[in-house]
Amino acid sequence: MKEHFSLGSLIFYSCAIGSVVVLFTLTTAYGERNLQAPRRIDGRYPLAMQVPTDCLKGQPVNLLLQQSGVFLTGALLPENASERSQQIALERPSLSGRWGNDQLVLEGNLGREWNCNANVTIAGQISENTLQGTLSLSTIPSAIPVSGDRQPPPPQPESH
């Protein structure tokens, strides 16, 4: 039993445990100081725009946006879309992209609600919960300026 508690073993295990504690402390301090979660931008953005295309049918448009860190998914829906359509759009979003440095880029397609097979790119900046940017459709030659104020998502019911 004495050979298990030799001075060499105690020094080895003390150094091993001590180095793990020091490494953990340094990593935690670095993370708290330098790694910050991105600001929340998920929600509904009623988009104000002048629509020069038949694809969007001249209807008011909502951008539904979901966020997981810097990754975004979303969908463009008519303002009067049913709750079922909104739920389907959230479960199977037609747009995906990234968020960082107050800039977002989303790409994808319009979705079934529009009866138009067009690729979409939304690029813009969000500051003070207001989206300012452009919406590009593959069916028109120039981008459409858009803006919208964030409406936070409704609270999700807890599932047990």
Side-chain angles (χ1 to χ4, degrees), residues 66-78:
Q66 293 177 300
Q67 177 183 14
S68 177
V70 298
F71 300 103
L72 302 174
T73 58
L76 287 173
L77 293 174

Side-chain angles (χ1 to χ4, degrees), residues 113-159:
E113 293 78 17
W114 300 104
N115 295 323
C116 181
N117 189 15
N119 291 328
V120 179
T121 301
I122 299 173
Q125 181 174 356
I126 296 182
S127 60
E128 303 291 325
N129 287 327
T130 299
L131 167 66
Q132 295 285 335
T134 59
L135 182 142
S136 301
L137 294 172
S138 60
T139 59
I140 60 173
S142 60
I144 304 166
V146 295
S147 64
D149 292 327
R150 176 180 181 249
Q151 298 173 353
Q156 297 292 325
E158 291 186 28
S159 58

Side-chain angles (χ1 to χ4, degrees), residues 39-45 65-67 150-153:
R39 180 169 54 95
R40 290 197 55 135
I41 61 167
D42 59 337
R44 179 190 320 237
Y45 291 84
L65 199 57
Q66 293 177 300
Q67 177 183 14
R150 176 180 181 249
Q151 298 173 353

Side-chain angles (χ1 to χ4, degrees), residues 25-131:
T25 303
L26 291 174
T27 304
T28 302
Y30 174 82
E32 288 177 354
R33 191 175 319 110
N34 297 314
L35 302 176
Q36 300 297 321
R39 180 169 54 95
R40 290 197 55 135
I41 61 167
D42 59 337
R44 179 190 320 237
Y45 291 84
L47 298 180
M49 69 176 113
Q50 295 178 350
V51 184
T53 178
D54 291 334
C55 273
L56 299 178
K57 302 176 187 175
Q59 295 184 36
V61 177
N62 283 334
L63 170 62
L64 297 181
L65 199 57
Q66 293 177 300
Q67 177 183 14
S68 177
V70 298
F71 300 103
L72 302 174
T73 58
L76 287 173
L77 293 174
E79 185 178 60
N80 61 356
S82 68
E83 287 292 323
R84 180 72 181 134
S85 293
Q86 291 179 36
Q87 189 63 33
I88 290 171
L90 291 174
E91 290 171 3
R92 289 181 246 139
S94 59
L95 303 172
S96 63
R98 292 186 68 115
W99 159 248
N101 297 328
D102 291 339
Q103 302 286 325
L104 71 85
V105 176
L106 288 166
E107 296 177 320
N109 58 42
L110 273 181
R112 297 180 188 166
E113 293 78 17
W114 300 104
N115 295 323
C116 181
N117 189 15
N119 291 328
V120 179
T121 301
I122 299 173
Q125 181 174 356
I126 296 182
S127 60
E128 303 291 325
N129 287 327
T130 299
L131 167 66

